[in-house]
Each structure stands twice: as structure tokens, then as C-alpha cells.
Amino acid sequence: MYLLNARTQQLEYFSDLPPYAILSHAWQSGEAHRFHEIGTPGVRKNPGYEKVEACCALALQDGLSHVWIDTCCADANCSAAFDEALNSSYTWFRQAQVCYVYLHDVDSRESPDQEGSAFRHCKWFSRAWTLQELLAPRNVYFFAKDWKKIGTKTGLANVISSVTGIHIDALMHPERIPCFSVATRMSWVKGRKSSKTEDKVYALMGLFGVRLPIEYGQGETDTFIKLQHEIMKITDDQSILAWRSAAGASSPNTSSLLADSPDCFAECGDIHRIPHDQWLEYCTKHFNPTANPRPGFSLTCRGLQAILPVRSRRPGVLDALLACTRGPGLWNGNKYVVNLDDADIGLRSSPGTHPRCASL
């Protein structure tokens, strides 16, 4: 991994990483990857290089000798290196001692807490890559356009949660992020944009601990299907099937169990997975004493196979029940638990009956 020496502003390669700071920012006009220009006489004249100098100065003030900045440390001309950078970026942000967030469109004289503040509406919050850059690091400091500090992630957690829809626990306790359901984590990408459609999907990889080959040109849908396949290899969380067709979709996907866009999970922020033992007890009590719903999925050449309990809605229409539910989840020190007595159990319907219909 390449880091920029904060004193010399030269790139250095490390296999054993020293403590480092990392920069998150929204790119502005004229900014570009400068990996091969770092250290040359003219690099300081390029648009955006003042961010590099300011980031290095902050790191040195915090006792850190190195920084990672995407415009400097990622070699966009080498496909293998760039692929590794995108797949590893969540880990790199998580390992950083501190993440500096530079907001070029926020005035330090304005309170971020204020309703309608520039902070609440800044461009940074609309970026797809912001999701992991906000969640992965434990220490996140926000700076206004004059590089004056305006707050921290923990101090502004309530404001950030209201702006993004991200559960406040995910902001305050990054170690709990894997405990949120797949559907809930997917919902956190709603409203985000990227210059390349595939990046909206690639920005989710680290959130689920999966990797994908970086291929631009295949489109958001194909990339998102691949992401869901990878997620289903490592979890039996059935909330991945609890999506609804995205609002305004011109041609909703009604023939597949998998969503064709992260936007299909926009309203899934309060969905919790139900542990298998609790789910088995619930199905036995409410539906069939011999019910034996099985966790997990099988992806074959014929499609997706899942064994789910079903109930009849009306003649000819069956609902397949998913082991997930809406409602407030309470942290018990190990996981989020829900009360199933008043549960709104997730379901999938047979074709032609519901916006989420799919063939089982």
C-alpha cells in the first residue's frame, strides 16, 4: 500500500503499515489522479493539491507521519492496482487512525446542527463512496472550506443520522455494522450518486466484506446482481430478498428473486434478520407444528434455491415467508433482537400479485 509522507510529500510503499491519516472529500473541477506526478516540480500547481498540503499539515499536528489520499496514492493507470484499491478501500479507511473529511461547500461560521445548514446539504453526503468513508473509520473529523474543524462523527451523529438515514449505532459503534441486516445496510446507499453507475455498487463491497472484479461498462444491474451473489455465499440473511421495486423504475424486475438496484432497498432501514432458532420456534407456533424452514441459499445454473415456509393468501396465491421483520431492534450486547409477538414478517409473493413478486 502506498502512503504519502506528510513531511516530504513523497510516496512510500509499505507492507507493514505505520499509523496514518486518510482524507475523504468530494472531487472538484480539475482534480485527477496524480500518482505518477507526485514528487515532480509542477504537481503543487494542480487543482486540488491544496487539499494534499492541508491534509499533511493536519496529520503532522496529530503526530502522524503518513497520509492516504485517493488522488495521490491510487494508481489509476494500473488496472490491478486500481482494482485492489477499490476492493481494499473500506479496510484502508477502517485501519486509519483518523479520517479527515473536507467539505468544500460548507462555511465554518455556520452550525452543522442548524436546520437547513450547508452541512446537511453538502455534496459529500450524496457521494456513493461516502458511505464507507463515513462508516469504516472510528475517528472522523469534519472540516469546512477554510479547513477549520466543525465537528466529529460521534459529536454530529444525530445530525448525520437524520441526513443519511443511517442508524445512529452504526455511526457511534462501527464494530456493530455487521450486526445490521443485509437489507438495512443496503438501504444506507439510498439517494447517493456516482459518476460511474457501477461505483454505486462497488461502494458497498466493504460494507459486506466481499470482493468483486472491477469492470466498468456492464451497468449497475449486472454489477449489483454479482454483488448479491457474493453476499449470499457468506450469509444466510434472508432480508436480502425483502426488497421492493425502486420508485419510478421504468421496468421493474418482477421475474427474479434478486433486486436490480440498491435503490430497491430504500425503505428497508428498519428490517432485522431473525436468528434461525427463533425463526423455527415462530414458524412451529404460528404456522405448522412440523415446519422446518432452513437457513441459507443455493445458487445453481437453474437459479436460486431457498426452502421457505409458505402460507396461502387466497386461492392460487402463496406467500413465502422470510426470516426477517420490521421494527425496532434492541442491542443485547451481542446482536440486535426483535419482539416477534408484533412482528411484520417479510414475505415474497408468487408472480403477478405484488411489486416484489418473484418465482420460487
Side-chain angles (χ1 to χ4, degrees):
M1 177 182 177
Y2 280 97
L3 294 174
L4 189 70
N5 186 303
R7 295 188 184 280
T8 65
Q9 293 182 22
Q10 298 283 342
L11 287 171
E12 299 176 4
Y13 183 82
F14 295 91
S15 52
D16 295 321
L17 295 173
Y20 63 93
I22 201 163
L23 178 69
S24 176
H25 64 115
W27 282 31
Q28 296 172 260
S29 177
E31 288 190 83
H33 288 284
R34 306 290 183 186
F35 180 85
H36 292 285
E37 298 177 48
I38 298 300
T40 63
V43 69
R44 296 173 185 266
K45 300 178 182 179
N46 286 316
Y49 197 82
E50 67 278 3
K51 296 181 186 179
V52 176
E53 295 179 319
C55 180
C56 289
L58 286 172
L60 291 173
Q61 290 175 22
D62 288 336
L64 300 169
S65 59
H66 291 82
V67 300
W68 189 92
I69 305 173
D70 54 0
T71 54
C72 302
C73 303
D75 185 0
N77 294 332
C78 174
S79 59
F82 195 65
D83 185 293
E84 179 63 21
L86 294 191
N87 272 284
S88 301
S89 57
Y90 187 92
T91 300
W92 293 349
F93 272 84
R94 185 180 61 208
Q95 291 176 340
Q97 299 297 303
V98 60
C99 174
Y100 304 131
V101 178
Y102 176 66
L103 307 174
H104 70 271
D105 48 1
V106 173
D107 195 314
S108 62
R109 295 171 296 181
E110 184 181 67
S111 171
D113 297 309
Q114 181 181 331
E115 287 294 333
S117 67
F119 178 82
R120 292 175 180 267
H121 297 281
C122 68
K123 181 180 179 182
W124 185 78
F125 278 124
S126 68
R127 298 168 61 244
W129 290 107
T130 286
L131 183 60
Q132 64 174 14
E133 296 168 11
L134 170 65
L135 291 176
R138 178 167 294 276
N139 301 307
V140 179
Y141 301 158
F142 294 95
F143 295 85
K145 59 185 177 182
D146 58 1
W147 285 96
K148 289 185 178 179
K149 186 178 176 181
I150 57 174
T152 66
K153 178 170 68 170
T154 53
L156 293 170
N158 283 307
V159 175
I160 296 170
S161 180
S162 68
V163 171
T164 63
I166 297 173
H167 197 290
I168 193 168
D169 283 3
L171 298 168
M172 299 290 288
H173 307 284
E175 71 279 2
R176 296 187 190 177
I177 291 174
C179 300
F180 287 93
S181 72
V182 168
T184 290
R185 281 178 278 172
M186 290 287 192
S187 75
W188 296 339
V189 80
K190 66 181 177 183
R192 301 185 183 278
K193 302 175 183 177
S194 59
S195 56
K196 297 177 180 178
T197 59
E198 296 87 355
D199 278 341
K200 191 172 181 179
V201 179
Y202 294 143
L204 286 165
M205 293 186 295
L207 209 58
F208 296 101
V210 300
R211 300 173 68 92
L212 290 173
I214 305 303
E215 300 176 49
Y216 291 110
Q218 62 183 333
E220 179 183 318
T221 297
D222 286 350
T223 309
F224 191 53
I225 295 294
K226 292 178 181 178
L227 176 71
Q228 292 170 91
H229 285 177
E230 292 303 309
I231 293 172
M232 295 172 82
K233 291 178 182 178
I234 61 172
T235 180
D236 59 5
D237 184 350
Q238 294 177 0
S239 73
I240 197 171
L241 306 178
W243 53 273
R244 292 180 179 271
S245 295
S250 57
S251 55
N253 183 352
T254 58
S255 61
S256 172
L257 281 171
L258 301 182
D260 55 14
S261 168
D263 294 332
C264 295
F265 291 89
E267 305 305 321
C268 295
D270 61 347
I271 289 183
H272 296 272
R273 66 177 301 178
I274 303 173
H276 181 62
D277 55 347
Q278 190 179 8
W279 181 230
L280 181 59
E281 179 182 352
Y282 180 87
C283 291
T284 302
K285 178 179 178 181
H286 292 277
F287 299 107
N288 186 341
T290 61
N292 186 27
R294 301 179 189 177
F297 313 91
S298 296
L299 287 168
T300 72
C301 60
R302 299 181 64 183
L304 173 67
Q305 182 184 49
I307 299 177
L308 308 174
V310 297
R311 68 185 177 193
S312 176
R313 183 193 300 186
R314 61 176 183 271
V317 179
L318 295 176
D319 289 335
L321 306 179
L322 303 176
C324 58
T325 182
R326 290 189 182 275
L330 299 178
W331 180 253
N332 69 358
N334 183 49
K335 60 185 177 182
Y336 288 95
V337 295
V338 291
N339 184 352
L340 295 186
D341 291 339
D342 300 314
D344 177 13
I345 302 297
L347 58 85
R348 298 296 307 195
S349 303
S350 58
T353 62
H354 192 277
R356 296 184 298 169
C357 63
S359 299
L360 294 174

